[in-house]
Amino acid sequence: MRLISRLSRALVECPPWPPAGASAPGRAPLIRRAAHHAAVARFPRLIRPVIMVLKCLAWPVSVLGPSVRFARLCRGGARAAPGIWAMAIRSGASPVEQCAYGIRPGDFGAANRWMFHGELMHLNWALADREAVRLCADKAAFAHHLRGRGLPAAEAGVMVEPGAVPTLDRRAGPVVVKPNTGSGSAGVEIWAPVPGSETLWSRRTGRPERLDGDGLGARIAALAARHDRMIVQPVIEAHPALARDGAVVPPVVRAVSGQWPDGRAVVAYAFIWAHFHEIGLPPAAGIGVIDVPSGRLVMTPRQVNPVFPLLGPSALVGRLRGPLPDWAAAVGVVEAAHAALPGRVPMLSWDVILSPDGPVLIEANVASSLYYHQAATGLPGSESALGAVFEAWLTRPGA
């Protein structure tokens, strides 16, 4: 079933034919050509012709419904749907990304300035060294690697093997439970001791639930059976300037760094947001776009009348005066951590907590995109620092 699900997603990720306008000279078309090729070339050669035929059939159908839906949302009426659909066919830009980035139908040059979700992930994966990819995928090894180099990474925590039932120490406070090699938010849960009880824990994300210590241990064992090894870590406290009243879960900085082939790294995009909705608290919707050089939260023109509510400005934008706490240190540790990885990887998306004691690195993701970053800032990936990074990778000797 998992293989079928992955194949279904791959068929509707992008069309098999080259994007219109991608043969033009310049940085943006160069990156777009390479990204599209990486998305297509990941299939084994023997089955690639069959996959390409299936994609030719699947892509036009898959973008038809979304074209109508996003025409009504972004263009004010269903009459715009044919233009959005035709743009998706010729440029490979999905309707949701056309809407989020403000791409006009027929403007192929503008479309190729953006780094599209599926294509970018496959380009980054294709260019990255396997050793760095493996390390980022193993959260415990990743934390050990960074902490061994004096970088402020999250504690490795307690590893729960499939079949084992852990005993949790309530004195450690709230804990996050997550797969050691998981991706996205699958299998991630946050639990906190119930005040006034000697045995009960309450779930702070997902559906409301209370368990005693034995029940929570059994639940973590069940998660390990489903997701393989699980990590149990103490939840990192948020800096007082960023803490919400009654909140256990800290806001997360999502910073994207690029690394040139010579090893230098730079933070290109960053925002802060509530990664999980916490039970019992009002939703902390919106994104706090961070001006990387100054560390200040800004509301971009794209956020004044956001297409999607999630892309609107965070409440922190109006509440926090001055730069984020320890922002210069956060940029420094992200860039140092990227450079400290074995091998090279052009782009990493980092989760960082700004704690009372400074920034703490949680994880780095290779298979990530720039969807939220581009949509909230209005800055196409090819025109950010990442544009220069990917251009350097694609034009380096032997590329």
PDB file of all heavy atoms in Angstrom, residues 284-298:
ATOM      1  N   ALA A 284      -2.566  29.383  16.871  1.00  0.00           N
ATOM      2  CA  ALA A 284      -1.564  30.426  16.638  1.00  0.00           C
ATOM      3  C   ALA A 284      -1.229  30.431  15.159  1.00  0.00           C
ATOM      4  O   ALA A 284      -0.146  30.045  14.737  1.00  0.00           O
ATOM      5  CB  ALA A 284      -0.315  30.178  17.477  1.00  0.00           C
ATOM      6  N   ALA A 285      -2.217  30.823  14.334  1.00  0.00           N
ATOM      7  CA  ALA A 285      -2.040  30.772  12.887  1.00  0.00           C
ATOM      8  C   ALA A 285      -1.112  31.892  12.430  1.00  0.00           C
ATOM      9  O   ALA A 285      -0.882  32.869  13.130  1.00  0.00           O
ATOM     10  CB  ALA A 285      -3.385  30.876  12.176  1.00  0.00           C
ATOM     11  N   GLY A 286      -0.623  31.746  11.224  1.00  0.00           N
ATOM     12  CA  GLY A 286       0.198  32.793  10.627  1.00  0.00           C
ATOM     13  C   GLY A 286       1.682  32.505  10.718  1.00  0.00           C
ATOM     14  O   GLY A 286       2.143  31.681  11.507  1.00  0.00           O
ATOM     15  N   ILE A 287       2.413  33.208   9.883  1.00  0.00           N
ATOM     16  CA  ILE A 287       3.862  33.038   9.777  1.00  0.00           C
ATOM     17  C   ILE A 287       4.541  34.361  10.084  1.00  0.00           C
ATOM     18  O   ILE A 287       4.169  35.403   9.551  1.00  0.00           O
ATOM     19  CB  ILE A 287       4.234  32.564   8.356  1.00  0.00           C
ATOM     20  CG1 ILE A 287       3.806  31.109   8.165  1.00  0.00           C
ATOM     21  CG2 ILE A 287       5.723  32.716   8.080  1.00  0.00           C
ATOM     22  CD1 ILE A 287       4.034  30.567   6.775  1.00  0.00           C
ATOM     23  N   GLY A 288       5.529  34.301  10.953  1.00  0.00           N
ATOM     24  CA  GLY A 288       6.344  35.474  11.232  1.00  0.00           C
ATOM     25  C   GLY A 288       7.582  35.454  10.355  1.00  0.00           C
ATOM     26  O   GLY A 288       8.569  34.779  10.684  1.00  0.00           O
ATOM     27  N   VAL A 289       7.540  36.155   9.237  1.00  0.00           N
ATOM     28  CA  VAL A 289       8.697  36.184   8.335  1.00  0.00           C
ATOM     29  C   VAL A 289       9.841  36.925   9.021  1.00  0.00           C
ATOM     30  O   VAL A 289       9.650  38.017   9.578  1.00  0.00           O
ATOM     31  CB  VAL A 289       8.343  36.862   7.006  1.00  0.00           C
ATOM     32  CG1 VAL A 289       9.585  37.020   6.127  1.00  0.00           C
ATOM     33  CG2 VAL A 289       7.278  36.051   6.268  1.00  0.00           C
ATOM     34  N   ILE A 290      11.015  36.346   8.984  1.00  0.00           N
ATOM     35  CA  ILE A 290      12.191  36.933   9.634  1.00  0.00           C
ATOM     36  C   ILE A 290      13.085  37.570   8.580  1.00  0.00           C
ATOM     37  O   ILE A 290      13.483  36.903   7.611  1.00  0.00           O
ATOM     38  CB  ILE A 290      12.983  35.867  10.418  1.00  0.00           C
ATOM     39  CG1 ILE A 290      12.079  35.152  11.423  1.00  0.00           C
ATOM     40  CG2 ILE A 290      14.184  36.495  11.125  1.00  0.00           C
ATOM     41  CD1 ILE A 290      12.725  33.939  12.076  1.00  0.00           C
ATOM     42  N   ASP A 291      13.382  38.843   8.763  1.00  0.00           N
ATOM     43  CA  ASP A 291      14.402  39.485   7.946  1.00  0.00           C
ATOM     44  C   ASP A 291      15.748  38.953   8.427  1.00  0.00           C
ATOM     45  O   ASP A 291      16.180  39.266   9.546  1.00  0.00           O
ATOM     46  CB  ASP A 291      14.330  41.003   8.106  1.00  0.00           C
ATOM     47  CG  ASP A 291      15.436  41.713   7.361  1.00  0.00           C
ATOM     48  OD1 ASP A 291      15.473  41.644   6.125  1.00  0.00           O
ATOM     49  OD2 ASP A 291      16.299  42.326   8.044  1.00  0.00           O
ATOM     50  N   VAL A 292      16.384  38.122   7.613  1.00  0.00           N
ATOM     51  CA  VAL A 292      17.554  37.375   8.078  1.00  0.00           C
ATOM     52  C   VAL A 292      18.681  38.275   8.569  1.00  0.00           C
ATOM     53  O   VAL A 292      19.257  38.028   9.634  1.00  0.00           O
ATOM     54  CB  VAL A 292      18.050  36.405   6.977  1.00  0.00           C
ATOM     55  CG1 VAL A 292      19.354  35.726   7.403  1.00  0.00           C
ATOM     56  CG2 VAL A 292      16.986  35.354   6.684  1.00  0.00           C
ATOM     57  N   PRO A 293      19.058  39.352   7.859  1.00  0.00           N
ATOM     58  CA  PRO A 293      20.173  40.162   8.354  1.00  0.00           C
ATOM     59  C   PRO A 293      19.920  40.800   9.720  1.00  0.00           C
ATOM     60  O   PRO A 293      20.820  40.868  10.556  1.00  0.00           O
ATOM     61  CB  PRO A 293      20.347  41.237   7.276  1.00  0.00           C
ATOM     62  CG  PRO A 293      19.772  40.630   6.042  1.00  0.00           C
ATOM     63  CD  PRO A 293      18.623  39.797   6.514  1.00  0.00           C
ATOM     64  N   SER A 294      18.683  41.276   9.974  1.00  0.00           N
ATOM     65  CA  SER A 294      18.406  41.997  11.222  1.00  0.00           C
ATOM     66  C   SER A 294      17.780  41.134  12.297  1.00  0.00           C
ATOM     67  O   SER A 294      17.834  41.475  13.482  1.00  0.00           O
ATOM     68  CB  SER A 294      17.474  43.175  10.939  1.00  0.00           C
ATOM     69  OG  SER A 294      16.175  42.722  10.577  1.00  0.00           O
ATOM     70  N   GLY A 295      17.141  40.030  11.910  1.00  0.00           N
ATOM     71  CA  GLY A 295      16.448  39.205  12.878  1.00  0.00           C
ATOM     72  C   GLY A 295      15.096  39.741  13.290  1.00  0.00           C
ATOM     73  O   GLY A 295      14.472  39.233  14.225  1.00  0.00           O
ATOM     74  N   ARG A 296      14.605  40.763  12.616  1.00  0.00           N
ATOM     75  CA  ARG A 296      13.303  41.349  12.950  1.00  0.00           C
ATOM     76  C   ARG A 296      12.183  40.624  12.212  1.00  0.00           C
ATOM     77  O   ARG A 296      12.354  40.202  11.068  1.00  0.00           O
ATOM     78  CB  ARG A 296      13.277  42.839  12.608  1.00  0.00           C
ATOM     79  CG  ARG A 296      14.211  43.677  13.470  1.00  0.00           C
ATOM     80  CD  ARG A 296      14.189  45.146  13.062  1.00  0.00           C
ATOM     81  NE  ARG A 296      15.070  45.940  13.904  1.00  0.00           N
ATOM     82  CZ  ARG A 296      14.693  46.512  15.054  1.00  0.00           C
ATOM     83  NH1 ARG A 296      13.426  46.396  15.461  1.00  0.00           N
ATOM     84  NH2 ARG A 296      15.548  47.211  15.762  1.00  0.00           N
ATOM     85  N   LEU A 297      11.044  40.524  12.880  1.00  0.00           N
ATOM     86  CA  LEU A 297       9.859  39.984  12.238  1.00  0.00           C
ATOM     87  C   LEU A 297       9.202  41.064  11.400  1.00  0.00           C
ATOM     88  O   LEU A 297       9.046  42.200  11.850  1.00  0.00           O
ATOM     89  CB  LEU A 297       8.872  39.473  13.292  1.00  0.00           C
ATOM     90  CG  LEU A 297       9.346  38.298  14.154  1.00  0.00           C
ATOM     91  CD1 LEU A 297       8.283  37.937  15.177  1.00  0.00           C
ATOM     92  CD2 LEU A 297       9.667  37.096  13.285  1.00  0.00           C
ATOM     93  N   VAL A 298       8.820  40.714  10.189  1.00  0.00           N
ATOM     94  CA  VAL A 298       8.228  41.685   9.272  1.00  0.00           C
ATOM     95  C   VAL A 298       6.942  41.103   8.690  1.00  0.00           C
ATOM     96  O   VAL A 298       6.762  39.883   8.628  1.00  0.00           O
ATOM     97  CB  VAL A 298       9.195  42.050   8.124  1.00  0.00           C
ATOM     98  CG1 VAL A 298      10.447  42.717   8.677  1.00  0.00           C
ATOM     99  CG2 VAL A 298       9.565  40.810   7.305  1.00  0.00           C
TER     100      VAL A 298
END
